[in-house]
Amino acid sequence: MPELRHLRYAVAVADELNFTRAAAREGVSQQVLSAQIRQFEDELGVRLFDRSTREVRLTDAGAAVAGRGRALLREVDELWEDLRRRGTGQAGVLRFGFGRSAAFDAAPRLVAAMADAHPDVRIETSELPSPDLPQALRDGRIDVALARWTADTEGLFVQELARRATGVVLRADDPLADRPELELGELADRSLLMHERGALPARYDAVLAACAAAGFAARLVTPRLSFDPTFADVAEGRGVVLASAAVRASLPPGLRWVALAGGVLEQRTDFMWNPARASPARDAFLAVARALSWEAPAASPPGRL
């Protein structure tokens, strides 16, 4: 069966109409080129070139091979380049999963940075409940996850992206709103707006444990909406919300964010991925994330935080 190099040699001769120049172009000797062309013609059962001591002319078959061969070689070269770019993470598809809270700042920033660095990578985003992210990685539905308060890490690599202080969102007329920071125990007489445990078990348990350590049992109230960047429940006086410093810049008028003292409930944001699945685009994405202003320690072994 003819080989791709035979086609390249034939196109080179058709372009140059000279075996010496065609051989130099392909980086082989004239003898090798001539032998390969003869082999190509034998395998096809047709002459491609009429040769004489003075000139080389294309036969009708040679013109057909040259015309269609140029297009085919361009497609092959484009395919090799596309595969090379995919292999280095410069092209392909990245499936990025994250929990809703990450949509405040981290996820949009990461997607924008990846699009700038690797515009030929198509980024498919999936907003998933945080407890579902680990299994989505194991199943191959996503390539990388941005996770907070994740305890289910069996078989996954975890890498810290950022840590942010946790504070409390209060009404501006709350007596505590003008304080530079608060002790968690100062919230003992306030209702704490927090979703059911199933929404984010690790965070739920951590908050209740921190409240107990501060000397009180949290009085919990379920928010009316699963996600509300306007914090309407707080504005209406139903309670206060524990939230990371990321929300501070986007709070609506009439609300304040005050940090909790002593780094209580400091929020850690992690990347997670499945090391059993290769993804050059994911690796390029992680490199882009590490180049941002967040400090990123080395990945932990599977199953550990």
Side-chain angles (χ1 to χ4, degrees), residues 40 63 108 110 140 169 174 194 217 269 271 284 292:
F40 193 23
L110 289 165
V169 179
D174 191 296
M194 193 161 64
T269 301
F271 276 129
L292 296 178

Side-chain angles (χ1 to χ4, degrees), residues 25-38:
R25 169 172 143 178
E26 294 301 311
V28 297
S29 69
Q30 182 177 337
Q31 291 79 7
V32 168
L33 182 71
S34 296
Q36 293 294 313
I37 292 296
R38 283 195 298 271

Side-chain angles (χ1 to χ4, degrees), residues 9-77:
Y9 292 159
V11 169
V13 174
D15 289 344
E16 301 294 340
L17 292 178
N18 183 287
F19 275 72
T20 301
R21 290 196 298 269
R25 169 172 143 178
E26 294 301 311
V28 297
S29 69
Q30 182 177 337
Q31 291 79 7
V32 168
L33 182 71
S34 296
Q36 293 294 313
I37 292 296
R38 283 195 298 271
Q39 182 180 345
F40 193 23
E41 290 175 323
D42 290 344
E43 290 174 340
L44 294 174
V46 64
R47 290 182 62 83
L48 303 177
F49 305 100
D50 287 329
R51 310 160 177 84
S52 72
T53 56
R54 299 181 58 184
E55 64 179 352
V56 175
R57 292 185 301 170
L58 287 167
T59 65
D60 288 344
V65 167
R68 297 181 66 176
R70 291 186 188 97
L72 178 59
L73 290 173
R74 281 195 299 271
E75 289 189 16
V76 169
D77 289 342

